[in-house]
Amino acid sequence: MEELKNYYRRVAKYSSAASLLYWDMQTYMPKDAGPYRAEVLSEIGTYAFKAMIDDALGTLLETAQPQNEIEEKIVSVGKKEYYKYKKVPPELFQEIMMTSTMLEQKWEIAKPKGDFEEVRPLLEKLVELSRKYAEILGYEEEPYNALLDLYEPGMKARAVEQMFNNVKTSILEVLEKIENLPKTEDPFDREISAEKQKEFSIWLLHYLKYDFNKGRLDVSAHPFTNPIGLNDVRITTRYIVNDMRNSIYSTIHEFGHALYALSIPAEFYGLPIGSSASYGFDESQSRFWENIVGRSLVFWKGIYQKFVEIIPEMKEYTVEELWRAVNRVQRSYIRTEADEVTYNLHIIIRFEIERALINGELSVKDIPDKWNELFKKYIGLEVPNNTLGCMQDPHWYGGNFGYFPTYALGNLYAAQIFEKLKEEIDFEDVVSKGEFDVIKDFLREKIHSKGKMYEPAELIKMVTGKPLSYEPFVRYVKEKYSKVYGIEL
């Protein structure tokens, strides 16, 4: 077993180096360095990939003699991943890495102009490569399931569709009731300097007890969390001067991701069980801290004095007014800025498009028109340009087909976990006192300490006693926004 563990830990060092190079590419790398960085990343990534499908690893997995449950999981999860990826030619993997890295760099340049034609040729190539990848991996029912399984093991598109349809129906009913209410002044509709926003973001992370000895906060065009290596998990945010909510909630959101990564047992690092259970579970933690904690009234009562100290122009508003403002519901274009009620609608649009793309039912050239059609249908807005439409996210241009559903699944997991958490602790009392360790202990025991030992369907049952359902999320939204707006939902 030790030889097997050491093999994994050795390969993890190469993945760690690639993660650091990617983080640098998104934060500080000179723009002209992009093409060579794409070569470097694909080279290192392919080297690590080859090591993970090498016959030597297969032999170690087959001859391993696990002595306890953790070692049994190392072997079983390792075998599943080994035999899945063993089917993939390294040349295809490298071509996907190279194409996606180059395309993501091209997207960064084309996005502000909304120039879809500039990215279309490479995106067509990447979609074709992703379809080939899905065929090689193998699937049940539809090709898209092969890619969805990479992010949410065991999940099927048909099950996602059923849950999303139920969420969509319930959310549109809530949205229509809220929209009929009179509009109120928005306290955040003002310019607040990036310097002040940064000061408050750093204070927030200290308040939440983010360990700056194991991480850092930087700026990127699209906020993200990157676990670089053991005891090194970096997060980014962005400062939009005319809406400070963006930085507040990007920072808290990425804190949630970082907390999960830093709370997985150190002895799991580099091993097949040394990551989150799934992208959906990972998202559940960021959405839990961002929305359930960070947008609660008790949380705002705890941060209000510091907030108005750093942003004195906000002193004219009460804590209740600011709380309602950060929970304002309205139809909008940008997913990362969307409120809790409409957010999942943004994800459903992306899910339907990428599913059709991978299943061969939609051509890349038709993405903008399909996006605009679904956006009008579900969110009720005419999309003025591709920057606010199909080019706003990096995921497709980075080759991450199958990723988007996990954002909405994260909301469903978070709400279901929240219901269970409230049975065991006094949530409002704990948050009002800033005693976040009580919540962290619950999450660590139930979720973080398990790493990737269990598939998400099994883990959510272990945590809550029930399979994943959309119903807790709908209950959460109706209860919370009835209070925010003072109406019965």
Side-chain angles (χ1 to χ4, degrees), residues 357-388:
L357 266 178
I358 298 303
N359 288 344
E361 299 158 1
L362 181 70
S363 299
V364 168
K365 66 181 175 62
D366 297 322
I367 288 176
D369 288 341
K370 189 64 177 178
W371 179 288
N372 298 349
E373 173 197 328
L374 292 178
F375 209 86
K376 177 66 175 175
K377 181 180 177 182
Y378 296 156
I379 298 183
L381 296 175
E382 299 282 354
V383 181
N385 54 60
N386 292 328
T387 303
L388 293 174

PDB file of all heavy atoms in Angstrom, residues 357-388:
ATOM      1  N   LEU A 357     -25.159  20.213 -27.371  1.00  0.00           N
ATOM      2  CA  LEU A 357     -23.889  20.299 -28.107  1.00  0.00           C
ATOM      3  C   LEU A 357     -23.173  18.955 -28.130  1.00  0.00           C
ATOM      4  O   LEU A 357     -22.767  18.464 -29.186  1.00  0.00           O
ATOM      5  CB  LEU A 357     -22.972  21.328 -27.445  1.00  0.00           C
ATOM      6  CG  LEU A 357     -22.965  22.775 -27.935  1.00  0.00           C
ATOM      7  CD1 LEU A 357     -22.012  23.583 -27.075  1.00  0.00           C
ATOM      8  CD2 LEU A 357     -22.592  22.871 -29.400  1.00  0.00           C
ATOM      9  N   ILE A 358     -23.012  18.361 -26.955  1.00  0.00           N
ATOM     10  CA  ILE A 358     -22.254  17.110 -26.851  1.00  0.00           C
ATOM     11  C   ILE A 358     -23.029  15.948 -27.468  1.00  0.00           C
ATOM     12  O   ILE A 358     -22.435  15.046 -28.058  1.00  0.00           O
ATOM     13  CB  ILE A 358     -21.897  16.809 -25.382  1.00  0.00           C
ATOM     14  CG1 ILE A 358     -21.007  17.927 -24.816  1.00  0.00           C
ATOM     15  CG2 ILE A 358     -21.208  15.457 -25.252  1.00  0.00           C
ATOM     16  CD1 ILE A 358     -19.720  18.178 -25.590  1.00  0.00           C
ATOM     17  N   ASN A 359     -24.353  15.997 -27.377  1.00  0.00           N
ATOM     18  CA  ASN A 359     -25.163  14.924 -27.963  1.00  0.00           C
ATOM     19  C   ASN A 359     -25.341  15.088 -29.469  1.00  0.00           C
ATOM     20  O   ASN A 359     -26.044  14.296 -30.110  1.00  0.00           O
ATOM     21  CB  ASN A 359     -26.537  14.863 -27.278  1.00  0.00           C
ATOM     22  CG  ASN A 359     -26.447  14.318 -25.863  1.00  0.00           C
ATOM     23  OD1 ASN A 359     -25.436  13.723 -25.482  1.00  0.00           O
ATOM     24  ND2 ASN A 359     -27.487  14.510 -25.072  1.00  0.00           N
ATOM     25  N   GLY A 360     -24.737  16.135 -30.051  1.00  0.00           N
ATOM     26  CA  GLY A 360     -24.806  16.336 -31.494  1.00  0.00           C
ATOM     27  C   GLY A 360     -26.108  16.915 -31.987  1.00  0.00           C
ATOM     28  O   GLY A 360     -26.423  16.844 -33.184  1.00  0.00           O
ATOM     29  N   GLU A 361     -26.882  17.525 -31.085  1.00  0.00           N
ATOM     30  CA  GLU A 361     -28.183  18.089 -31.460  1.00  0.00           C
ATOM     31  C   GLU A 361     -28.113  19.592 -31.706  1.00  0.00           C
ATOM     32  O   GLU A 361     -29.111  20.207 -32.091  1.00  0.00           O
ATOM     33  CB  GLU A 361     -29.203  17.803 -30.350  1.00  0.00           C
ATOM     34  CG  GLU A 361     -29.427  16.307 -30.109  1.00  0.00           C
ATOM     35  CD  GLU A 361     -29.979  16.005 -28.728  1.00  0.00           C
ATOM     36  OE1 GLU A 361     -30.198  16.965 -27.959  1.00  0.00           O
ATOM     37  OE2 GLU A 361     -30.171  14.814 -28.419  1.00  0.00           O
ATOM     38  N   LEU A 362     -26.943  20.198 -31.484  1.00  0.00           N
ATOM     39  CA  LEU A 362     -26.770  21.638 -31.659  1.00  0.00           C
ATOM     40  C   LEU A 362     -25.378  21.898 -32.214  1.00  0.00           C
ATOM     41  O   LEU A 362     -24.402  21.301 -31.751  1.00  0.00           O
ATOM     42  CB  LEU A 362     -26.944  22.365 -30.317  1.00  0.00           C
ATOM     43  CG  LEU A 362     -26.814  23.890 -30.328  1.00  0.00           C
ATOM     44  CD1 LEU A 362     -28.006  24.530 -31.033  1.00  0.00           C
ATOM     45  CD2 LEU A 362     -26.700  24.423 -28.899  1.00  0.00           C
ATOM     46  N   SER A 363     -25.283  22.779 -33.198  1.00  0.00           N
ATOM     47  CA  SER A 363     -23.991  23.152 -33.768  1.00  0.00           C
ATOM     48  C   SER A 363     -23.409  24.337 -33.029  1.00  0.00           C
ATOM     49  O   SER A 363     -24.160  25.188 -32.523  1.00  0.00           O
ATOM     50  CB  SER A 363     -24.144  23.502 -35.246  1.00  0.00           C
ATOM     51  OG  SER A 363     -24.619  22.393 -35.975  1.00  0.00           O
ATOM     52  N   VAL A 364     -22.099  24.439 -32.986  1.00  0.00           N
ATOM     53  CA  VAL A 364     -21.440  25.542 -32.306  1.00  0.00           C
ATOM     54  C   VAL A 364     -21.891  26.881 -32.873  1.00  0.00           C
ATOM     55  O   VAL A 364     -22.121  27.834 -32.128  1.00  0.00           O
ATOM     56  CB  VAL A 364     -19.900  25.394 -32.402  1.00  0.00           C
ATOM     57  CG1 VAL A 364     -19.199  26.670 -31.958  1.00  0.00           C
ATOM     58  CG2 VAL A 364     -19.436  24.211 -31.551  1.00  0.00           C
ATOM     59  N   LYS A 365     -22.039  26.973 -34.190  1.00  0.00           N
ATOM     60  CA  LYS A 365     -22.421  28.250 -34.808  1.00  0.00           C
ATOM     61  C   LYS A 365     -23.786  28.745 -34.333  1.00  0.00           C
ATOM     62  O   LYS A 365     -24.083  29.944 -34.402  1.00  0.00           O
ATOM     63  CB  LYS A 365     -22.430  28.124 -36.328  1.00  0.00           C
ATOM     64  CG  LYS A 365     -23.480  27.187 -36.899  1.00  0.00           C
ATOM     65  CD  LYS A 365     -23.405  27.117 -38.414  1.00  0.00           C
ATOM     66  CE  LYS A 365     -24.376  26.097 -38.986  1.00  0.00           C
ATOM     67  NZ  LYS A 365     -25.792  26.415 -38.691  1.00  0.00           N
ATOM     68  N   ASP A 366     -24.616  27.821 -33.818  1.00  0.00           N
ATOM     69  CA  ASP A 366     -25.970  28.186 -33.385  1.00  0.00           C
ATOM     70  C   ASP A 366     -26.062  28.511 -31.897  1.00  0.00           C
ATOM     71  O   ASP A 366     -27.153  28.796 -31.388  1.00  0.00           O
ATOM     72  CB  ASP A 366     -26.949  27.053 -33.719  1.00  0.00           C
ATOM     73  CG  ASP A 366     -27.059  26.818 -35.218  1.00  0.00           C
ATOM     74  OD1 ASP A 366     -27.028  27.815 -35.964  1.00  0.00           O
ATOM     75  OD2 ASP A 366     -27.160  25.647 -35.632  1.00  0.00           O
ATOM     76  N   ILE A 367     -24.918  28.456 -31.187  1.00  0.00           N
ATOM     77  CA  ILE A 367     -24.940  28.727 -29.744  1.00  0.00           C
ATOM     78  C   ILE A 367     -25.525  30.106 -29.416  1.00  0.00           C
ATOM     79  O   ILE A 367     -26.417  30.212 -28.555  1.00  0.00           O
ATOM     80  CB  ILE A 367     -23.533  28.571 -29.127  1.00  0.00           C
ATOM     81  CG1 ILE A 367     -23.129  27.102 -29.076  1.00  0.00           C
ATOM     82  CG2 ILE A 367     -23.493  29.159 -27.708  1.00  0.00           C
ATOM     83  CD1 ILE A 367     -21.709  26.869 -28.562  1.00  0.00           C
ATOM     84  N   PRO A 368     -25.052  31.199 -30.052  1.00  0.00           N
ATOM     85  CA  PRO A 368     -25.607  32.522 -29.682  1.00  0.00           C
ATOM     86  C   PRO A 368     -27.117  32.608 -29.838  1.00  0.00           C
ATOM     87  O   PRO A 368     -27.813  33.117 -28.946  1.00  0.00           O
ATOM     88  CB  PRO A 368     -24.880  33.478 -30.633  1.00  0.00           C
ATOM     89  CG  PRO A 368     -23.598  32.784 -30.955  1.00  0.00           C
ATOM     90  CD  PRO A 368     -23.961  31.335 -31.040  1.00  0.00           C
ATOM     91  N   ASP A 369     -27.656  32.102 -30.948  1.00  0.00           N
ATOM     92  CA  ASP A 369     -29.103  32.172 -31.176  1.00  0.00           C
ATOM     93  C   ASP A 369     -29.855  31.313 -30.166  1.00  0.00           C
ATOM     94  O   ASP A 369     -30.909  31.725 -29.644  1.00  0.00           O
ATOM     95  CB  ASP A 369     -29.451  31.718 -32.594  1.00  0.00           C
ATOM     96  CG  ASP A 369     -29.029  32.740 -33.643  1.00  0.00           C
ATOM     97  OD1 ASP A 369     -28.813  33.923 -33.278  1.00  0.00           O
ATOM     98  OD2 ASP A 369     -28.916  32.364 -34.825  1.00  0.00           O
ATOM     99  N   LYS A 370     -29.327  30.117 -29.881  1.00  0.00           N
ATOM    100  CA  LYS A 370     -29.996  29.238 -28.914  1.00  0.00           C
ATOM    101  C   LYS A 370     -29.957  29.858 -27.518  1.00  0.00           C
ATOM    102  O   LYS A 370     -30.945  29.802 -26.770  1.00  0.00           O
ATOM    103  CB  LYS A 370     -29.310  27.862 -28.907  1.00  0.00           C
ATOM    104  CG  LYS A 370     -30.064  26.810 -28.100  1.00  0.00           C
ATOM    105  CD  LYS A 370     -31.424  26.524 -28.728  1.00  0.00           C
ATOM    106  CE  LYS A 370     -32.179  25.432 -28.007  1.00  0.00           C
ATOM    107  NZ  LYS A 370     -33.519  25.201 -28.588  1.00  0.00           N
ATOM    108  N   TRP A 371     -28.811  30.436 -27.170  1.00  0.00           N
ATOM    109  CA  TRP A 371     -28.682  31.109 -25.876  1.00  0.00           C
ATOM    110  C   TRP A 371     -29.736  32.203 -25.741  1.00  0.00           C
ATOM    111  O   TRP A 371     -30.456  32.271 -24.737  1.00  0.00           O
ATOM    112  CB  TRP A 371     -27.280  31.708 -25.752  1.00  0.00           C
ATOM    113  CG  TRP A 371     -27.035  32.442 -24.465  1.00  0.00           C
ATOM    114  CD1 TRP A 371     -27.558  33.662 -24.109  1.00  0.00           C
ATOM    115  CD2 TRP A 371     -26.244  31.999 -23.366  1.00  0.00           C
ATOM    116  NE1 TRP A 371     -27.122  34.003 -22.852  1.00  0.00           N
ATOM    117  CE2 TRP A 371     -26.326  33.007 -22.370  1.00  0.00           C
ATOM    118  CE3 TRP A 371     -25.464  30.876 -23.127  1.00  0.00           C
ATOM    119  CZ2 TRP A 371     -25.642  32.904 -21.160  1.00  0.00           C
ATOM    120  CZ3 TRP A 371     -24.795  30.778 -21.917  1.00  0.00           C
ATOM    121  CH2 TRP A 371     -24.890  31.784 -20.954  1.00  0.00           C
ATOM    122  N   ASN A 372     -29.821  33.058 -26.755  1.00  0.00           N
ATOM    123  CA  ASN A 372     -30.749  34.193 -26.703  1.00  0.00           C
ATOM    124  C   ASN A 372     -32.198  33.722 -26.620  1.00  0.00           C
ATOM    125  O   ASN A 372     -33.015  34.316 -25.910  1.00  0.00           O
ATOM    126  CB  ASN A 372     -30.546  35.090 -27.920  1.00  0.00           C
ATOM    127  CG  ASN A 372     -29.147  35.690 -27.953  1.00  0.00           C
ATOM    128  OD1 ASN A 372     -28.401  35.611 -26.977  1.00  0.00           O
ATOM    129  ND2 ASN A 372     -28.772  36.279 -29.078  1.00  0.00           N
ATOM    130  N   GLU A 373     -32.499  32.636 -27.325  1.00  0.00           N
ATOM    131  CA  GLU A 373     -33.857  32.070 -27.299  1.00  0.00           C
ATOM    132  C   GLU A 373     -34.217  31.569 -25.897  1.00  0.00           C
ATOM    133  O   GLU A 373     -35.295  31.883 -25.360  1.00  0.00           O
ATOM    134  CB  GLU A 373     -33.939  30.916 -28.311  1.00  0.00           C
ATOM    135  CG  GLU A 373     -35.243  30.141 -28.271  1.00  0.00           C
ATOM    136  CD  GLU A 373     -35.120  28.793 -28.962  1.00  0.00           C
ATOM    137  OE1 GLU A 373     -34.350  28.678 -29.936  1.00  0.00           O
ATOM    138  OE2 GLU A 373     -35.784  27.834 -28.507  1.00  0.00           O
ATOM    139  N   LEU A 374     -33.321  30.785 -25.291  1.00  0.00           N
ATOM    140  CA  LEU A 374     -33.600  30.231 -23.963  1.00  0.00           C
ATOM    141  C   LEU A 374     -33.590  31.317 -22.887  1.00  0.00           C
ATOM    142  O   LEU A 374     -34.349  31.242 -21.914  1.00  0.00           O
ATOM    143  CB  LEU A 374     -32.589  29.137 -23.621  1.00  0.00           C
ATOM    144  CG  LEU A 374     -32.675  27.853 -24.447  1.00  0.00           C
ATOM    145  CD1 LEU A 374     -31.590  26.872 -24.031  1.00  0.00           C
ATOM    146  CD2 LEU A 374     -34.053  27.205 -24.294  1.00  0.00           C
ATOM    147  N   PHE A 375     -32.715  32.313 -23.060  1.00  0.00           N
ATOM    148  CA  PHE A 375     -32.651  33.393 -22.075  1.00  0.00           C
ATOM    149  C   PHE A 375     -33.967  34.163 -22.051  1.00  0.00           C
ATOM    150  O   PHE A 375     -34.478  34.518 -20.984  1.00  0.00           O
ATOM    151  CB  PHE A 375     -31.491  34.341 -22.406  1.00  0.00           C
ATOM    152  CG  PHE A 375     -30.903  35.006 -21.186  1.00  0.00           C
ATOM    153  CD1 PHE A 375     -29.905  34.375 -20.451  1.00  0.00           C
ATOM    154  CD2 PHE A 375     -31.355  36.246 -20.759  1.00  0.00           C
ATOM    155  CE1 PHE A 375     -29.373  34.972 -19.310  1.00  0.00           C
ATOM    156  CE2 PHE A 375     -30.824  36.852 -19.632  1.00  0.00           C
ATOM    157  CZ  PHE A 375     -29.831  36.211 -18.907  1.00  0.00           C
ATOM    158  N   LYS A 376     -34.518  34.409 -23.211  1.00  0.00           N
ATOM    159  CA  LYS A 376     -35.810  35.097 -23.299  1.00  0.00           C
ATOM    160  C   LYS A 376     -36.918  34.224 -22.705  1.00  0.00           C
ATOM    161  O   LYS A 376     -37.792  34.702 -21.970  1.00  0.00           O
ATOM    162  CB  LYS A 376     -36.113  35.411 -24.768  1.00  0.00           C
ATOM    163  CG  LYS A 376     -37.469  36.052 -24.999  1.00  0.00           C
ATOM    164  CD  LYS A 376     -37.561  37.429 -24.375  1.00  0.00           C
ATOM    165  CE  LYS A 376     -38.888  38.092 -24.720  1.00  0.00           C
ATOM    166  NZ  LYS A 376     -39.056  39.392 -24.022  1.00  0.00           N
ATOM    167  N   LYS A 377     -36.843  32.940 -22.977  1.00  0.00           N
ATOM    168  CA  LYS A 377     -37.874  31.999 -22.515  1.00  0.00           C
ATOM    169  C   LYS A 377     -37.879  31.845 -21.004  1.00  0.00           C
ATOM    170  O   LYS A 377     -38.936  31.866 -20.359  1.00  0.00           O
ATOM    171  CB  LYS A 377     -37.642  30.641 -23.185  1.00  0.00           C
ATOM    172  CG  LYS A 377     -38.657  29.563 -22.802  1.00  0.00           C
ATOM    173  CD  LYS A 377     -38.321  28.264 -23.529  1.00  0.00           C
ATOM    174  CE  LYS A 377     -39.258  27.132 -23.123  1.00  0.00           C
ATOM    175  NZ  LYS A 377     -38.887  25.857 -23.809  1.00  0.00           N
ATOM    176  N   TYR A 378     -36.694  31.687 -20.395  1.00  0.00           N
ATOM    177  CA  TYR A 378     -36.625  31.390 -18.970  1.00  0.00           C
ATOM    178  C   TYR A 378     -36.435  32.628 -18.093  1.00  0.00           C
ATOM    179  O   TYR A 378     -36.978  32.701 -16.995  1.00  0.00           O
ATOM    180  CB  TYR A 378     -35.477  30.410 -18.685  1.00  0.00           C
ATOM    181  CG  TYR A 378     -35.649  29.059 -19.314  1.00  0.00           C
ATOM    182  CD1 TYR A 378     -34.549  28.245 -19.579  1.00  0.00           C
ATOM    183  CD2 TYR A 378     -36.912  28.567 -19.653  1.00  0.00           C
ATOM    184  CE1 TYR A 378     -34.698  26.989 -20.164  1.00  0.00           C
ATOM    185  CE2 TYR A 378     -37.066  27.319 -20.237  1.00  0.00           C
ATOM    186  CZ  TYR A 378     -35.960  26.543 -20.494  1.00  0.00           C
ATOM    187  OH  TYR A 378     -36.102  25.305 -21.066  1.00  0.00           O
ATOM    188  N   ILE A 379     -35.635  33.585 -18.563  1.00  0.00           N
ATOM    189  CA  ILE A 379     -35.335  34.745 -17.722  1.00  0.00           C
ATOM    190  C   ILE A 379     -36.068  35.992 -18.180  1.00  0.00           C
ATOM    191  O   ILE A 379     -36.201  36.962 -17.444  1.00  0.00           O
ATOM    192  CB  ILE A 379     -33.799  34.951 -17.657  1.00  0.00           C
ATOM    193  CG1 ILE A 379     -33.180  33.700 -17.009  1.00  0.00           C
ATOM    194  CG2 ILE A 379     -33.422  36.191 -16.865  1.00  0.00           C
ATOM    195  CD1 ILE A 379     -31.691  33.752 -16.807  1.00  0.00           C
ATOM    196  N   GLY A 380     -36.587  35.949 -19.398  1.00  0.00           N
ATOM    197  CA  GLY A 380     -37.473  37.027 -19.841  1.00  0.00           C
ATOM    198  C   GLY A 380     -36.771  38.278 -20.313  1.00  0.00           C
ATOM    199  O   GLY A 380     -37.385  39.346 -20.344  1.00  0.00           O
ATOM    200  N   LEU A 381     -35.502  38.162 -20.693  1.00  0.00           N
ATOM    201  CA  LEU A 381     -34.755  39.335 -21.144  1.00  0.00           C
ATOM    202  C   LEU A 381     -34.205  39.105 -22.547  1.00  0.00           C
ATOM    203  O   LEU A 381     -33.805  37.992 -22.896  1.00  0.00           O
ATOM    204  CB  LEU A 381     -33.583  39.632 -20.198  1.00  0.00           C
ATOM    205  CG  LEU A 381     -33.918  40.020 -18.754  1.00  0.00           C
ATOM    206  CD1 LEU A 381     -32.630  40.159 -17.943  1.00  0.00           C
ATOM    207  CD2 LEU A 381     -34.725  41.312 -18.691  1.00  0.00           C
ATOM    208  N   GLU A 382     -34.184  40.175 -23.339  1.00  0.00           N
ATOM    209  CA  GLU A 382     -33.531  40.139 -24.643  1.00  0.00           C
ATOM    210  C   GLU A 382     -32.029  40.346 -24.427  1.00  0.00           C
ATOM    211  O   GLU A 382     -31.609  41.290 -23.763  1.00  0.00           O
ATOM    212  CB  GLU A 382     -34.072  41.256 -25.545  1.00  0.00           C
ATOM    213  CG  GLU A 382     -35.565  41.158 -25.831  1.00  0.00           C
ATOM    214  CD  GLU A 382     -35.897  40.121 -26.893  1.00  0.00           C
ATOM    215  OE1 GLU A 382     -34.935  39.563 -27.489  1.00  0.00           O
ATOM    216  OE2 GLU A 382     -37.080  39.859 -27.122  1.00  0.00           O
ATOM    217  N   VAL A 383     -31.222  39.465 -24.984  1.00  0.00           N
ATOM    218  CA  VAL A 383     -29.769  39.557 -24.807  1.00  0.00           C
ATOM    219  C   VAL A 383     -29.193  40.531 -25.829  1.00  0.00           C
ATOM    220  O   VAL A 383     -29.306  40.302 -27.034  1.00  0.00           O
ATOM    221  CB  VAL A 383     -29.104  38.173 -24.960  1.00  0.00           C
ATOM    222  CG1 VAL A 383     -27.602  38.278 -24.758  1.00  0.00           C
ATOM    223  CG2 VAL A 383     -29.706  37.182 -23.962  1.00  0.00           C
ATOM    224  N   PRO A 384     -28.575  41.643 -25.376  1.00  0.00           N
ATOM    225  CA  PRO A 384     -28.106  42.668 -26.315  1.00  0.00           C
ATOM    226  C   PRO A 384     -26.820  42.324 -27.049  1.00  0.00           C
ATOM    227  O   PRO A 384     -26.566  42.831 -28.135  1.00  0.00           O
ATOM    228  CB  PRO A 384     -27.894  43.890 -25.416  1.00  0.00           C
ATOM    229  CG  PRO A 384     -27.588  43.320 -24.068  1.00  0.00           C
ATOM    230  CD  PRO A 384     -28.391  42.053 -23.972  1.00  0.00           C
ATOM    231  N   ASN A 385     -25.980  41.459 -26.466  1.00  0.00           N
ATOM    232  CA  ASN A 385     -24.710  41.119 -27.106  1.00  0.00           C
ATOM    233  C   ASN A 385     -24.159  39.838 -26.493  1.00  0.00           C
ATOM    234  O   ASN A 385     -24.629  39.372 -25.450  1.00  0.00           O
ATOM    235  CB  ASN A 385     -23.694  42.263 -26.957  1.00  0.00           C
ATOM    236  CG  ASN A 385     -23.501  42.677 -25.511  1.00  0.00           C
ATOM    237  OD1 ASN A 385     -23.089  41.878 -24.663  1.00  0.00           O
ATOM    238  ND2 ASN A 385     -23.819  43.927 -25.191  1.00  0.00           N
ATOM    239  N   ASN A 386     -23.165  39.263 -27.143  1.00  0.00           N
ATOM    240  CA  ASN A 386     -22.594  37.997 -26.679  1.00  0.00           C
ATOM    241  C   ASN A 386     -21.790  38.137 -25.393  1.00  0.00           C
ATOM    242  O   ASN A 386     -21.597  37.162 -24.670  1.00  0.00           O
ATOM    243  CB  ASN A 386     -21.713  37.388 -27.772  1.00  0.00           C
ATOM    244  CG  ASN A 386     -22.516  36.919 -28.964  1.00  0.00           C
ATOM    245  OD1 ASN A 386     -23.654  36.493 -28.812  1.00  0.00           O
ATOM    246  ND2 ASN A 386     -21.935  37.009 -30.152  1.00  0.00           N
ATOM    247  N   THR A 387     -21.282  39.341 -25.124  1.00  0.00           N
ATOM    248  CA  THR A 387     -20.539  39.562 -23.875  1.00  0.00           C
ATOM    249  C   THR A 387     -21.435  39.292 -22.675  1.00  0.00           C
ATOM    250  O   THR A 387     -21.009  38.693 -21.685  1.00  0.00           O
ATOM    251  CB  THR A 387     -20.008  41.008 -23.811  1.00  0.00           C
ATOM    252  OG1 THR A 387     -19.204  41.249 -24.969  1.00  0.00           O
ATOM    253  CG2 THR A 387     -19.170  41.230 -22.563  1.00  0.00           C
ATOM    254  N   LEU A 388     -22.685  39.733 -22.773  1.00  0.00           N
ATOM    255  CA  LEU A 388     -23.661  39.481 -21.708  1.00  0.00           C
ATOM    256  C   LEU A 388     -24.385  38.153 -21.918  1.00  0.00           C
ATOM    257  O   LEU A 388     -25.205  37.760 -21.089  1.00  0.00           O
ATOM    258  CB  LEU A 388     -24.687  40.614 -21.661  1.00  0.00           C
ATOM    259  CG  LEU A 388     -24.154  41.987 -21.223  1.00  0.00           C
ATOM    260  CD1 LEU A 388     -25.241  43.049 -21.350  1.00  0.00           C
ATOM    261  CD2 LEU A 388     -23.626  41.940 -19.803  1.00  0.00           C
TER     262      LEU A 388
END
